[in-house]
Amino acid sequence: MGIFKKKQVAESVDFSALPQHIAIILDGNGRWAKRRGLPRTAGHAVGSETFRKVATYCNDIGIKYLTVYAFSTENWKRPVEEVDTIMSLLEKYILEAIDEVRKKNLILKFWGSRDGLSERIKKLMDESEKESADMTGMQVNVCLNYGSRNEITNAVRLIAADVSEGRMKIEDITEAEIEKRLYSAGTPAPDLLIRPGGEMRLSNYLLWQTAYSEFVFSDKLWPDFDERELDRAIIEYQKRNRRFGGI
Ligand code: IPE
Ligand code: IPE
Ligand code: MG
């Protein structure tokens, strides 16, 4: 009886010690659909709804930053119909998000390269970022056409240009100067990184930023992910001892 009680206490989220920044790799949509005999695209549609639900929950409990991996620089390798469906879903959700930004005081940002994206989606991205300018609530970073190697390569190029044009000296290249040139500039590093879908890899996500993040993997496919599963990840996070190289 005593043990049971103790376990119950340990299994609830401590809302006074939440991670301030949660990053999630939205993975498992295709497999979710295949298991149901549906086309992969059906999984993306349900996965988008899961994102809405989980983002709302994060906002309700007071998470400050939520960063999600929606489309990678490598995802262009997929069949064109699948890429098109993902892009249409993103368009639909960005359009709706513009309203949410106003209603819920959200800051919406996009991390990733704009190269290769349609004019329509780029316009919506600009609009929602503009709408976010005066907001002060939860910041949602959507990683779209994002690849961490691409992000770091861009930062290196920008620094090389600054050095070669005399605006910067080699001695001035610091970690902070690199960070300033990443999409994540100004955002604290993720405390907790969650990957649903069963794979245990980063897949080119936030390689620089997750140097000291706590990783939690979940076997649940993203469309099956929910508030309870997020709670479980936070509980797991709260059991970790973060040392950052110290003792
Ligand atoms: C994640 O789900 C969404 C994107 C990568 C765009 P997947 O489409 O990768 O689903 P699985 O991993 O194949 O099941
Ligand atoms: C990572 O998932 C990218 C996104 C979730 C957007 P992938 O499904 O593309 O990763 P791999 O191929 O399993 O490594
Ligand atoms: Mg996948």
Side-chain angles (χ1 to χ4, degrees), residues 25-27 69-72 75 78 195 199 201 203:
I25 299 177
L26 312 180
D27 195 32
Y69 205 3
F71 192 85
S72 78
N75 288 146
R78 298 184 179 202
R195 181 163 192 158
E199 309 294 0
R201 53 176 171 257
S203 302

Side-chain angles (χ1 to χ4, degrees), residues 17 38 44 46 53 84 92 94 96 102 107 110 132 134 136 151 153 159 162 186 192 202 221 233 238-239 241 243-244:
L38 299 167
H44 296 309
V46 179
K53 187 172 69 186
D84 285 351
K92 174 175 167 247
I94 299 169
E96 289 180 18
R102 280 188 221 115
I107 301 164
F110 294 93
S132 300
D134 301 324
T136 54
E151 175 182 42
T153 305
I159 288 176
D162 282 345
L192 167 61
L202 275 175
L221 302 171
Q238 289 178 334
K239 290 178 190 161
N241 176 10
R243 286 185 292 277
F244 299 95

Side-chain angles (χ1 to χ4, degrees), residues 31 37 135-136 192 217 233 246:
R31 278 165 287 161
M135 303 301 164
T136 54
L192 167 61
F217 297 98

Side-chain angles (χ1 to χ4, degrees), residues 153-166:
T153 305
N154 282 339
V156 170
R157 282 203 185 129
L158 292 170
I159 288 176
D162 282 345
V163 171
S164 78
E165 286 158 32

